[in-house]
Amino acid sequence: MIKFMLMVNRQGQTRLSRYYTPVELSRRAVLEADVVRCCLTRKKDQCSFVEYKDFKLIYRQYAALYIVVGVTDSENELSVYELVHNFVEVLDKYFSRVVSLDIMFNLDRVHIILDEMIQNGHIVETNKSRVLAPLTALDKMADS
Amino acid sequence: MALKIVKGSIDRMFDKNLQDLVRGIRNHKEDEAKYISTCIDEIKQELKQDNIAVKANAVCKLTYLQMLGYDVSWAAFNIVEVMSSSKFTYKRIGYLAASQCFHESTDVIMLTTNQIRKDLSSPNQYDTGVALTGLSCFVTPDLARDLANDIMTLMSHTKPYIRKKAVLIMYKVFLKYPESLRPAFPRLKEKLEDPDPGVQSAAVNVICELARRNPKNYLSLAPLFFKLMTSSTNNWVLIKIIKLFGALTPLEPRLGKKLIEPLTNLIHSTSAMSLLYECVNTVYIDVNTPPLPSLSLSLCLYLSLPPQLCVQKLRILIEDSDQNLKYLGLLAMSKILKTHPKSVQSHKDLILQCLDDKDESIRLRALDLLYGMVSKKNLMEIVKKLMLHVDKAEGTTYRDELLTKIIDICSQSNYQYITNFEWYISILVELTRLEGTRHGHLIASQMLDVAIRVKAIRGFAVAQMATLLDNAHLLTGNMQRMGICEVLYAAAWICGEFSEHLENPMQTLEAMLRPKVATLPGHIQAVYVQNAAKLFATVLKSQEGNTDSTAAQETSQLMIDRLPLFVQSANLEVQERASCILQLVKYIQKLQQKDVEVAEEVSALFAGELNPVAPKAQKKVPVPEGLDLDSWINEPPSESESEDEQPKAIFAKEEPKHSRPRREEVDEKELAKRREARKQEQANNPFYIKASPSSQKVYQEAPGVEHIPVVQIDLSVPLKVPGLPMSDQYVKLEEERRQKERAEKKKKEKKKRKEKRSGRGKKHDSGPESEEDITPAHQVDIVTEEMPENALPSDDDDKDPNDPHKILILHIVKTFVYDIQGNLQDGSQVVVSVIFENKCDSFLKSMEFNVLDSLNSKLQRPEGSGPHDGLTVPFQLPPGVSNEARFVFTVQSIIMPQKLKGTLTFIVKDSSTHEKLDFKLHFTCTSYLITTPCYSDAFAKLLESGDLKCSSVRLEGVNMPFHHLLARICFHHHFSVVERIDSCASMYSRSIQGHHVCLLVKTVSIDAKCDEPTLLGNVLDEIKQTFSQC
């Protein structure tokens, strides 16, 4: 199962974090810094999977933004790797060409998207239009 | 009123929203902390207002700050307020904040129960959805208990959007409130067939997670999953289903057969690499290393699905240009290597290629694989390649990893693959030239190990070490290389201990006494000083032999000149040794001046050869005669005085060898009672070290240390290679040697073939050189030592070094203790006492003991539990503590010995992971015998009755005093002596089912009678076994 999902920029600043197993606030900062260091130091020609303590990290880089997912040992690395891309595609569709500022300024919306896709650390929905359905409904509500 | 609302919305226009906050933080890069603290103050003001819109905005900003690492728990109540807003736009902000900030110990959570219940039953599906999502993050046991019913109802909601969320959150509810699982399960099962694929997928996810914890409860769902697997097209779902089958197959062999076809289809047809990876990974790895010891079951699957298929598929992954696939391919390959080494070995070329990969993680994976791929044939070649990499590697971490891997690969399974130890020593010497490695200690221990254990190599090793000592300045030259100076420790010791092999001991002695040595770490200096003394002895011996007294005196003078440097050392050990040796040498010098020959006496100081000792050799030391480890040194105080006196008086009159049987005759019942009481006391005392009969057995049977076999070595390569050798030379030499051997072999084969042709004309395989063809140039003194008969395979030193649970060694000593009273009433019960000892550093809990029942023997389980349920061990184990648990077995027939397989599962508290340990219980026929006293007249009647069948066994090669022999039979096989006349004795025992077993023991043979010939045969076999082990 998925333990957490992080979006960080090249400077290691957190842009989004979501934990599916409780981690104390004080330990989050240390964990995030450590995880980010692990992934940022890797070169482009290195593989996207890192063994970190008792779990695995799977990361993907999109321009200046890194998406890092921590999963338990039993999770299939490739499927999570695909999920990350799926998530980015959904963001791309919603924001039409997503940039990292979109994510910063619309944190709550990104969270809604993420919650539609992953719940409890499990993949719930991967269909783009179904993922976006609640958010579009919400936007209509706000417009009216 | 209207004015107030207008005023409120005007105020709001000046409030910061989330975007403003983010922008603000970006604009205040210099004083971010200060800016944020003013923002937090503003937020606190906003939260005090009545306007819910303002509050929601404030909470939204807090969520962002929380992500940046600021503590916002003080706003928990405001978050609850926003959650309970009737407007969805605000409500979701509240839930989002709650899901990010709340955790189990947030106290306001209990206020939310009713609000959440209201939201769950809201007509708006998004209200319900947001509540479910939020709940999945902060559900507590209380919330789970109170809301379980509401969520369960939602599982049958009309909207699939709600259903799938409800199904998923049920998993969290089960975890927090396990009682909910039973009532919810039927509905969960229904959801597997839900018309909506999203709901199906959610249900698969939940059941997959549940089944991983306890697979056997979900076996009944296998047909359903099978249907899903063949119908679903969602790869994410398929992956989960395959994972689930990976957990189920070991429990149900037929499932494996059924799966072969769809799995093979998937492997061949799928274009999704993730799915392919899962098929290969789960099927071959999880199934072949099942959680239960049901190897035979998984074999079905293995036999019909050749591992080559998946290894070939993995090869495709590894050959792919995508680094991710390469990495995963290697990862899966290393798992298959454990079960099917042969099929992986054929891809050696590919793995070696990966060593050149630019990605370090891929190189490390490839290194892992190499460990399992070496053979006698390719070891030199592989290590040569690795040595090239060592030279090329730029990062020290990777280079150190290479170094340890080289040593691991070479030393694995007792140097099994090394055919030429000279080559290995030169590899080690070459490794010492690495700059800045941390593993000097590792290299040193290898040098010591090889030099001690491989006798034939000592001469060569000593020459190499002498060169190392001579060039010590190269190793200690700069401070960065300090790690490597550890090898000097080994070098000095080897040169000293085996100094008779030195060509020029004087030169080495001088090298060891150089002033520069004083810059080495203390523990190395100490070894230098001590071994300088050994060398001194050798030098004296050779010089006195030459009748050159001046040279000998010069040597003493050298020692006297150089040693004071060490006497001044700050290290106590060095100081003490140096001053001791200095005084000794001064005394020797005095004697030398009087023309006394001293060499003999000086070398006597270091006489005696050092032999390798197995880690378990202590067990082979016999217990001294007359020492009864079972008897009390002081009787326990709780016993009454008068009772103690009785056996003591008999003790004094009788020979000690009679003590055991006589004691039992004296007052069997009383003793049994006392023993019971004592056991009780011991069981309650976790610090009591139980005396287990099994370990004593080993003490008595084993011969002395001198019986540890030392393999003699046959040399077939020249020993001398001048100068510092290059390991490559050995590769060449080895090839030549092998070629020669092969040629000889071929000659022989030809001969054979001729013979055969003339005989049967059968084809003879003369294919490529096979593994067995390579004869080692040297052999290791493999210190073989038998395992104690009752020791379990889980003994710590038998663990695979790659075992992930290495730190977690659970040492179980098994003893059979029979409840005598129970046995007399019920002849089919056997009590097994198991001592659990926690040898790791973590707290172990929730231990479950389970045994795979056989038709004949069954573990007694409490009423109402199934035939495969495990028994909970009624205690937890803090680190280092041992405790005893008893398990009752029902046995039908006792005439044959048998073995039961079992597992112990437990949770390690720190990591809270489930671990398991496999073991075997060996029920010997002896363990069904109970020591029963018998009087000689009753014994005679029994023999006369004619009901007993006769059998006999010869004890060959047993030369021990007769009373030892008797004591051993009494002790190990539960007999009692009826009568003894000189070197002939009659003995008696009874089985739990009332079979009489009578023995007539003479020094060389045992004649036996019993009313059950099979039982007798087995008991005699076991007795014979006991004596054959000595």
Side-chain angles (χ1 to χ4, degrees):
Chain A
M1 84 177 250
I2 299 170
K3 288 183 142 196
F4 59 81
M5 174 137 178
L6 290 178
M7 289 173 111
V8 286
N9 66 5
R10 225 192 266 279
Q11 287 78 45
Q13 289 164 317
T14 311
R15 290 287 169 244
L16 174 134
S17 69
R18 188 72 154 143
Y19 288 83
Y20 298 99
T21 45
V23 178
E24 275 172 51
L25 194 64
S26 53
R27 284 183 49 219
R28 284 187 192 189
V30 183
L31 178 82
E32 281 169 25
D34 212 22
V35 160
V36 168
R37 196 170 36 246
C38 257
C39 298
L40 291 190
T41 51
R42 291 175 68 85
K43 295 187 205 89
K44 269 212 164 138
D45 54 21
Q46 295 195 297
C47 67
S48 311
F49 314 122
V50 189
E51 278 172 40
Y52 178 83
K53 292 184 182 165
D54 57 337
F55 54 97
K56 296 183 284 198
L57 300 177
I58 292 145
Y59 71 92
R60 269 189 116 140
Q61 188 189 355
Y62 293 92
L65 198 69
Y66 283 80
I67 300 182
V68 188
V69 188
V71 300
T72 54
D73 209 36
S74 60
E75 194 65 50
N76 183 313
E77 291 96 334
L78 279 176
S79 77
V80 176
Y81 188 69
E82 291 305 317
L83 176 80
V84 171
H85 192 66
N86 190 273
F87 175 57
V88 173
E89 277 177 2
V90 175
L91 291 180
D92 221 29
K93 187 173 176 186
Y94 180 75
F95 293 108
S96 45
R97 308 278 317 148
V98 65
V99 291
S100 86
L101 280 183
D102 287 330
I103 294 165
M104 281 174 73
F105 291 129
N106 298 286
L107 188 69
D108 50 340
R109 279 159 214 277
V110 179
H111 265 296
I112 294 177
I113 293 177
L114 189 60
D115 284 347
E116 288 304 314
M117 295 183 70
I118 306 174
Q119 190 184 348
N120 257 357
H122 294 289
I123 302 166
V124 224
E125 187 59 76
T126 49
N127 181 308
K128 281 175 213 155
S129 42
R130 261 186 291 188
V131 168
L132 290 177
L135 199 55
T136 24
L138 188 80
D139 287 341
K140 269 184 203 147
M141 230 187 279
D143 287 344
S144 60
Chain B
M1 183 64 199
L3 187 70
K4 203 177 174 188
I5 292 172
V6 171
K7 191 169 173 281
S9 51
I10 290 172
D11 276 350
R12 259 205 74 199
M13 289 173 72
F14 298 107
D15 285 345
K16 282 196 195 89
N17 62 11
L18 177 62
Q19 274 83 350
D20 298 327
L21 176 75
V22 174
R23 220 168 274 139
I25 293 175
R26 282 165 70 83
N27 292 336
H28 290 79
K29 282 211 173 92
E30 307 300 316
D31 51 348
E32 195 183 294
K34 199 178 151 207
Y35 178 76
I36 287 179
S37 75
T38 54
C39 285
I40 289 182
D41 286 340
E42 279 172 28
I43 289 170
K44 280 185 178 161
Q45 288 304 317
E46 287 166 26
L47 287 175
K48 280 184 189 144
Q49 294 188 31
D50 287 334
N51 191 329
I52 192 72
V54 178
K55 272 188 187 163
N57 184 43
V59 165
C60 187
K61 286 189 279 185
L62 279 179
T63 315
Y64 185 81
L65 292 178
Q66 195 265 357
M67 183 191 78
L68 294 183
Y70 292 88
D71 180 25
V72 297
S73 54
W74 48 269
F77 186 75
N78 304 102
I79 293 174
V80 175
E81 276 182 313
V82 178
M83 273 165 79
S84 47
S85 154
S86 55
K87 218 170 163 194
F88 179 65
T89 347
Y90 302 143
K91 185 189 288 298
R92 73 176 174 91
I93 290 175
Y95 271 103
L96 174 64
S99 64
Q100 291 285 71
C101 314
F102 287 7
H103 44 89
E104 271 198 18
S105 49
T106 308
D107 42 7
V108 291
I109 282 190
M110 50 196 259
L111 301 176
T112 60
T113 317
N114 278 323
Q115 179 58 40
I116 294 174
R117 182 171 284 147
K118 215 174 98 193
D119 288 336
L120 287 179
S121 52
S122 153
N124 181 347
Q125 63 165 337
Y126 293 122
D127 278 354
T128 318
V130 85
L132 283 172
T133 314
L135 198 55
S136 76
C137 293
F138 56 79
V139 64
T140 61
D142 287 339
L143 276 181
R145 190 194 57 226
D146 296 339
L147 297 173
N149 265 326
D150 303 75
I151 300 171
M152 224 158 86
T153 329
L154 290 179
M155 281 167 78
S156 314
H157 199 271
T158 48
K159 299 245 171 56
Y161 176 75
I162 302 294
R163 286 207 301 273
K164 81 181 174 202
K165 290 200 168 215
V167 168
L168 262 184
I169 185 147
M170 267 330 257
Y171 176 62
K172 269 278 165 70
V173 174
F174 296 150
L175 288 189
K176 301 282 175 191
Y177 178 59
E179 286 87 340
S180 60
L181 180 56
R182 206 170 279 274
F185 191 69
R187 200 167 288 184
L188 184 62
K189 196 175 149 190
E190 251 170 49
K191 294 300 133 197
L192 284 175
E193 293 181 291
D194 197 279
D196 184 85
V199 183
Q200 260 185 14
S201 143
V204 169
N205 267 323
V206 172
I207 290 181
C208 186
E209 282 300 314
L210 289 171
R212 259 232 314 281
R213 284 160 190 261
N214 193 1
K216 61 175 179 282
N217 290 351
Y218 301 90
L219 263 180
S220 60
L221 297 179
L224 249 174
F225 278 110
F226 194 78
K227 215 169 87 191
L228 271 179
M229 182 168 140
T230 41
S231 61
S232 177
T233 51
N234 183 335
N235 286 337
W236 275 289
V237 174
L238 280 172
I239 287 171
K240 289 281 171 188
I241 294 177
I242 292 170
K243 266 194 202 303
L244 182 81
F245 276 127
L248 294 184
T249 317
L251 301 171
E252 177 54 83
R254 285 169 297 178
L255 205 53
K257 277 186 194 152
K258 277 206 118 179
L259 283 172
I260 292 167
E261 202 200 316
L263 277 178
T264 324
N265 285 345
L266 273 180
I267 291 177
H268 282 304
S269 65
T270 184
S271 58
M273 282 300 183
S274 52
L275 184 58
L276 174 67
Y277 174 65
E278 190 61 44
C279 289
V280 171
N281 199 24
T282 306
V283 173
Y284 285 95
I285 287 109
D286 290 2
V287 172
N288 283 311
T289 49
L292 280 175
S294 48
L295 201 69
S296 55
L297 305 185
S298 56
L299 270 178
C300 310
L301 193 65
Y302 154 48
L303 285 176
S304 19
L305 251 183
Q308 278 86 339
L309 169 64
C310 80
V311 177
Q312 266 156 22
K313 283 283 171 184
L314 287 179
R315 195 182 166 102
I316 297 172
L317 290 189
I318 297 173
E319 280 172 338
D320 200 288
S321 59
D322 186 342
Q323 298 289 69
N324 292 332
L325 296 183
K326 200 174 272 227
Y327 174 84
L328 290 179
L330 289 171
L331 192 67
M333 200 80 119
S334 66
K335 289 178 187 166
I336 292 180
L337 184 71
K338 284 182 193 141
T339 46
H340 308 295
K342 279 265 157 59
S343 40
V344 180
Q345 269 158 12
S346 54
H347 300 277
K348 196 188 82 201
D349 55 320
L350 188 64
I351 313 289
L352 282 175
Q353 259 176 41
C354 291
L355 279 182
D356 296 319
D357 199 279
K358 41 197 184 256
D359 184 356
E360 189 176 301
S361 15
I362 288 177
R363 290 199 302 257
L364 288 176
R365 286 277 147 237
L367 270 183
D368 281 349
L369 270 168
L370 275 185
Y371 179 81
M373 298 185 78
V374 289
S375 63
K376 280 183 181 157
K377 201 168 112 191
N378 63 19
L379 175 73
M380 285 185 166
E381 181 199 336
I382 288 182
V383 172
K384 187 180 165 191
K385 183 125 200 216
L386 291 180
M387 291 298 283
L388 283 179
H389 280 276
V390 171
D391 291 339
K392 276 194 283 178
E394 50 304 323
T396 40
T397 8
Y398 178 60
R399 211 185 46 190
D400 279 0
E401 187 65 27
L402 271 169
L403 191 153
T404 44
K405 266 284 149 14
I406 291 177
I407 289 180
D408 274 358
I409 287 174
C410 292
S411 63
Q412 68 175 312
S413 23
N414 225 354
Y415 306 103
Q416 189 190 345
Y417 300 114
I418 295 187
T419 50
N420 186 335
F421 277 95
E422 282 184 29
W423 164 81
Y424 186 45
I425 292 272
S426 13
I427 288 284
L428 290 175
V429 172
E430 273 172 44
L431 286 177
T432 61
R433 296 187 208 141
L434 285 187
E435 274 186 53
T437 179
R438 299 177 285 115
H439 292 297
H441 186 73
L442 188 64
I443 303 176
S445 69
Q446 283 290 302
M447 286 174 169
L448 287 172
D449 199 36
V450 172
I452 295 170
R453 292 174 62 186
V454 189
K455 274 189 179 169
I457 199 68
R458 283 180 192 165
F460 178 78
V462 165
Q464 290 302 312
M465 296 304 126
T467 329
L468 264 188
L469 285 179
D470 239 8
N471 301 321
H473 57 280
L474 293 177
L475 298 177
T476 53
N478 65 54
M479 286 309 278
Q480 267 198 333
R481 316 187 74 175
M482 279 319 254
I484 203 70
C485 69
E486 284 289 332
V487 297
L488 292 177
Y489 177 102
W493 190 88
I494 292 171
C495 283
E497 183 65 25
F498 307 120
S499 51
E500 69 271 17
H501 297 288
L502 270 178
E503 248 180 39
N504 191 350
M506 193 59 205
Q507 190 190 341
T508 312
L509 182 62
E510 271 172 16
M512 280 167 81
L513 293 170
R514 279 182 203 144
K516 190 103 202 217
V517 172
T519 56
L520 291 173
H523 66 285
I524 299 178
Q525 282 187 54
V527 172
Y528 262 73
V529 171
Q530 184 72 13
N531 286 286
K534 290 183 199 166
L535 269 179
F536 174 63
T538 321
V539 172
L540 273 191
K541 214 171 170 182
S542 65
Q543 283 171 338
E544 277 187 3
N546 293 342
T547 61
D548 183 5
S549 64
T550 47
Q553 284 185 25
E554 273 166 22
T555 317
S556 307
Q557 194 53 48
L558 175 79
M559 292 288 280
I560 292 170
D561 290 344
R562 299 283 177 85
L563 278 174
L565 176 71
F566 298 103
V567 177
Q568 292 158 10
S569 169
N571 187 300
L572 278 184
E573 178 86 15
V574 180
Q575 205 186 85
E576 194 177 356
R577 282 175 195 250
S579 50
C580 193
I581 290 166
L582 182 62
Q583 288 313 313
L584 186 74
V585 177
K586 278 183 180 161
Y587 182 67
I588 290 169
Q589 200 184 29
K590 249 186 233 167
L591 288 176
Q592 280 175 332
Q593 280 157 0
K594 291 179 197 160
D595 274 341
V596 182
E597 294 221 333
V598 285
E600 248 352 279
E601 269 118 349
V602 177
S603 6
L605 283 174
F606 307 107
E609 197 181 348
L610 193 94
N611 278 326
V613 179
K616 288 187 195 167
Q618 176 67 39
K619 288 182 186 165
K620 292 215 162 207
V621 179
V623 175
E625 199 177 322
L627 173 65
D628 183 3
L629 289 174
D630 261 359
S631 70
W632 289 99
I633 298 171
N634 291 312
E635 285 290 330
S638 60
E639 311 287 336
S640 78
E641 280 291 314
S642 58
E643 278 171 344
D644 283 350
E645 270 169 20
Q646 218 173 5
K648 263 185 198 160
I650 290 160
F651 240 112
K653 280 178 212 156
E654 297 284 332
E655 296 272 328
K657 65 202 167 208
H658 284 308
S659 61
R660 179 186 300 276
R662 293 295 279 204
R663 267 180 82 168
E664 285 180 346
E665 267 171 60
V666 169
D667 200 347
E668 181 66 50
K669 260 191 191 167
E670 180 58 35
L671 276 179
K673 217 162 102 190
R674 261 194 255 166
R675 218 176 284 143
E676 201 48 51
R678 201 189 305 147
K679 258 183 234 148
Q680 280 297 325
E681 198 186 310
Q682 290 165 9
N684 295 335
N685 182 359
F687 301 107
Y688 182 82
I689 304 164
K690 271 94 185 166
S692 73
S694 57
S695 51
Q696 271 172 19
K697 195 176 198 167
V698 182
Y699 293 139
Q700 292 191 356
E701 281 163 7
V705 187
E706 66 271 17
H707 290 270
I708 296 169
V710 172
V711 183
Q712 286 308 313
I713 286 150
D714 194 19
L715 283 182
S716 57
V717 273
L719 269 179
K720 292 264 155 50
V721 177
L724 260 184
M726 285 299 292
S727 52
D728 293 356
Q729 287 177 314
Y730 290 98
V731 180
K732 249 183 235 160
L733 270 176
E734 182 68 16
E735 268 165 18
E736 279 167 21
R737 188 176 72 88
R738 278 184 202 169
Q739 228 154 26
K740 226 187 337 182
E741 264 174 27
R742 228 175 299 162
E744 274 170 29
K745 195 143 190 168
K746 262 190 189 156
K747 253 188 239 164
K748 271 186 204 164
E749 265 173 22
K750 261 183 200 164
K751 251 190 214 167
K752 262 192 204 165
R753 219 177 300 164
K754 271 180 199 161
E755 285 163 19
K756 283 221 168 156
R757 264 184 204 150
S758 60
R760 259 176 280 165
K762 197 181 160 191
K763 263 192 190 172
H764 201 86
D765 182 30
S766 63
E769 181 180 26
S770 73
E771 186 75 341
E772 289 76 21
D773 290 345
I774 305 165
T775 51
H778 311 265
Q779 274 176 327
V780 199
D781 279 354
I782 298 163
V783 193
T784 43
E785 199 227 0
E786 272 159 24
M787 282 278 285
E789 194 193 320
N790 279 358
L792 287 180
S794 55
D795 262 9
D796 40 356
D797 22 8
D798 297 317
K799 283 253 168 179
D800 177 357
N802 283 341
D803 195 331
H805 313 312
K806 196 166 65 182
I807 37 151
L808 200 96
I809 297 155
L810 197 86
H811 182 93
I812 301 179
V813 180
K814 177 195 64 178
T815 51
F816 291 108
V817 181
Y818 297 102
D819 185 343
I820 296 167
Q821 286 179 334
N823 287 333
L824 292 179
Q825 288 153 6
D826 186 351
S828 59
Q829 272 195 0
V830 178
V831 181
V832 178
S833 305
V834 184
I835 295 169
F836 299 90
E837 187 186 351
N838 181 356
K839 287 196 147 186
C840 69
D841 297 324
S842 314
F843 197 94
L844 303 184
K845 58 175 188 176
S846 305
M847 290 193 279
E848 246 193 16
F849 178 90
N850 201 359
V851 170
L852 214 61
D853 288 350
S854 70
L855 280 176
N856 192 30
S857 311
K858 290 184 171 62
L859 176 62
Q860 279 199 0
R861 298 174 165 89
E863 274 183 2
S865 55
H868 303 296
D869 290 351
L871 290 183
T872 314
V873 180
F875 46 76
Q876 306 187 333
L877 279 184
V881 168
S882 64
N883 205 343
E884 183 188 25
R886 293 182 182 190
F887 304 96
V888 181
F889 285 79
T890 324
V891 187
Q892 279 176 355
S893 160
I894 60 159
I895 58 171
M896 296 286 278
Q898 59 172 319
K899 282 179 183 157
L900 289 187
K901 281 181 178 174
T903 37
L904 182 77
T905 54
F906 51 92
I907 296 178
V908 186
K909 212 167 194 180
D910 296 345
S911 59
S912 68
T913 48
H914 269 273
E915 305 282 3
K916 75 177 181 70
L917 196 74
D918 294 338
F919 58 84
K920 269 185 199 158
L921 291 175
H922 193 181
F923 289 78
T924 56
C925 281
T926 295
S927 53
Y928 300 122
L929 298 182
I930 319 159
T931 318
T932 322
C934 182
Y935 294 104
S936 51
D937 43 353
F939 189 76
K941 259 186 204 162
L942 195 63
L943 288 179
E944 281 162 16
S945 67
D947 295 334
L948 306 182
K949 308 280 186 307
C950 197
S951 181
S952 71
V953 65
R954 283 189 67 79
L955 301 176
E956 258 145 12
V958 179
N959 40 11
M960 59 174 73
F962 188 63
H963 64 270
H964 275 199
L965 192 125
L966 289 188
R968 200 166 277 196
I969 297 176
C970 287
F971 178 70
H972 293 306
H973 300 284
H974 313 162
F975 280 86
S976 60
V977 178
V978 181
E979 217 170 8
R980 182 188 161 193
I981 304 154
D982 294 324
S983 57
C984 182
S986 50
M987 303 178 94
Y988 175 78
S989 183
R990 244 180 98 175
S991 78
I992 52 170
Q993 294 182 356
H995 303 108
H996 303 284
V997 187
C998 308
L999 300 183
L1000 185 66
V1001 185
K1002 292 169 195 162
T1003 39
V1004 287
S1005 68
I1006 299 175
D1007 293 315
K1009 283 189 171 183
C1010 173
D1011 37 8
E1012 176 54 62
T1014 326
L1015 176 68
L1016 182 63
N1018 286 321
V1019 170
L1020 286 182
D1021 280 349
E1022 281 162 25
I1023 293 178
K1024 207 172 167 186
Q1025 182 109 39
T1026 311
F1027 287 103
S1028 69
Q1029 280 167 6
C1030 51

